[in-house]
Amino acid sequence: MLNLLKMDLYRLFRSSTTWIMLLVTVGMAVFGVSMTKYDASNMEQGADSMATEIGADVSDDGVNLNFGISATTLPEWATGDVDFADLVNTQVGSGLFLIVVSIFVTLFVCAEHKNGYIKNIAGQFPNRGVLIVSKAVAIGAQVLAMFLVLFVTMFVTGKICFGEKLVLNSVGKLFTVLGGQFVLHYAFAGVILCLGVLFRSSALSMTIGILISCKLTSLLYMLGNKFSLDLTRYALETNVTRYSVITDKKEILVMMLSAAVIFAVTIGTSIIVMQKRDVR
């Protein structure tokens, strides 16, 4: 198991797609913070906010649950200090980095089917479920690397854009933000892993992941509302956004527990499929 994990981590960090993912993360972080600065400057001058939401519709929590990607610029940032924890929360809560996870986790998982890696190595492990466990740990390292790069890039870009106005009021709040969003994004990576194992198609898995990231699933959740069932409380893509505004600890606990359940179900499903399917 340890040797398998070493091989997966070696493949991960030797792969060009991983480094491209990190570069894309840097670009998105720079773009997001820069647009926030532009939006705050417009608000300071009395202009309307430039932040837009595609298909905007908000829940009782004030969260956009419809199709699209959006980030919020807080009004107090126009003339006051910008709390770094809040800046990170609003940017990550936009759902933009779920798209990064969708694309690059899919490429990592599905690549082994194309190059024959899985066929060559599967016979060495009677319990092929360990292949999934190892892969889950590897994509966890991938998501963690993305968050570390995101953190550093946003801080540097924030200092350039906001200067002394960028402050860190609470280190604990920052780690709560990063920790909670990491859990949600890692659980989403588990979903993408499961899609890759089920379909063995990078195009299909990636497309489904991107559509989920853009909250196209809100159309399905509307059906649940007809039966007084609020599915948005448990869905990863909506919880990534809701986490940026929800402060109730019980609601946050529901988010984390639902993420853990979804991750366990998707990894368990992947293990079962890998065990029963002929490797080719």
Side-chain angles (χ1 to χ4, degrees):
M1 174 64 186
L2 183 59
N3 289 334
L4 177 61
L5 178 57
K6 288 180 179 179
M7 284 190 290
D8 275 332
L9 290 174
Y10 178 82
R11 286 178 52 240
L12 176 68
F13 289 106
R14 290 283 294 181
S15 171
S16 60
T17 57
T18 298
W19 299 103
I20 293 172
M21 177 201 75
L22 297 179
L23 287 175
V24 170
T25 300
V26 170
M28 287 184 169
V30 171
F31 175 77
V33 175
S34 299
M35 290 304 296
T36 298
K37 170 60 177 176
Y38 179 71
D39 202 22
S41 297
N42 282 342
M43 294 168 67
E44 185 177 9
Q45 295 169 8
D48 293 333
S49 171
M50 296 297 292
T52 59
E53 297 177 351
I54 303 174
D57 185 25
V58 295
S59 67
D60 293 337
D61 302 318
V63 181
N64 176 19
L65 300 180
N66 270 1
F67 181 77
I69 299 293
S70 64
T72 303
T73 300
L74 301 182
E76 57 266 28
W77 293 350
T79 55
D81 290 337
V82 178
D83 183 20
F84 182 59
D86 289 334
L87 180 64
V88 171
N89 212 7
T90 56
Q91 293 299 315
V92 180
S94 69
L96 187 61
F97 296 97
L98 288 178
I99 296 179
V100 178
V101 171
S102 299
I103 295 173
F104 291 99
V105 170
T106 298
L107 293 176
F108 173 68
V109 172
C110 294
E112 61 188 27
H113 294 290
K114 294 182 179 180
N115 59 27
Y117 170 81
I118 190 70
K119 184 177 181 179
N120 294 331
I121 200 173
Q124 302 177 30
F125 298 93
N127 179 14
R128 292 192 302 218
V130 297
L131 297 173
I132 299 298
V133 175
S134 176
K135 228 177 302 296
V137 174
I139 64 174
Q142 190 177 28
V143 175
L144 179 60
M146 184 188 78
F147 266 76
L148 291 175
V149 170
L150 176 66
F151 168 80
V152 173
T153 305
M154 287 191 65
F155 182 79
V156 172
T157 309
K159 274 296 182 183
I160 294 173
C161 290
F162 295 102
E164 296 301 321
K165 291 180 62 178
L166 185 71
V167 297
L168 179 58
N169 293 324
S170 172
V171 175
K173 180 180 178 180
L174 176 62
F175 280 103
T176 299
V177 168
L178 291 172
Q181 289 288 9
F182 172 78
V183 169
L184 294 170
H185 282 72
Y186 186 30
F188 186 75
V191 174
I192 303 302
L193 168 62
C194 184
L195 291 174
V197 172
L198 287 174
F199 299 123
R200 290 192 286 202
S201 167
S202 56
L204 181 58
S205 303
M206 195 182 300
T207 300
I208 294 174
I210 292 173
L211 291 177
I212 294 174
S213 302
C214 294
K215 304 188 190 78
L216 188 65
T217 44
S218 61
L219 300 174
L220 298 176
Y221 303 150
M222 290 173 62
L223 298 177
N225 293 336
K226 294 183 178 181
F227 301 96
S228 300
L229 181 62
D230 186 8
L231 297 176
T232 59
R233 293 184 65 202
Y234 315 104
L236 294 172
E237 69 278 15
T238 54
N239 278 342
V240 164
T241 303
R242 294 176 69 240
Y243 190 79
S244 64
V245 296
I246 296 295
T247 56
D248 182 65
K249 292 183 178 180
K250 290 183 179 179
E251 197 64 25
I252 291 175
L253 180 61
V254 171
M255 294 182 193
M256 297 299 106
L257 290 176
S258 62
V261 170
I262 291 172
F263 183 79
V265 169
T266 52
I267 297 302
T269 301
S270 301
I271 291 173
I272 293 172
V273 171
M274 183 63 74
Q275 285 279 63
K276 295 184 177 297
R277 174 187 285 168
D278 292 334
V279 176
R280 64 177 188 270

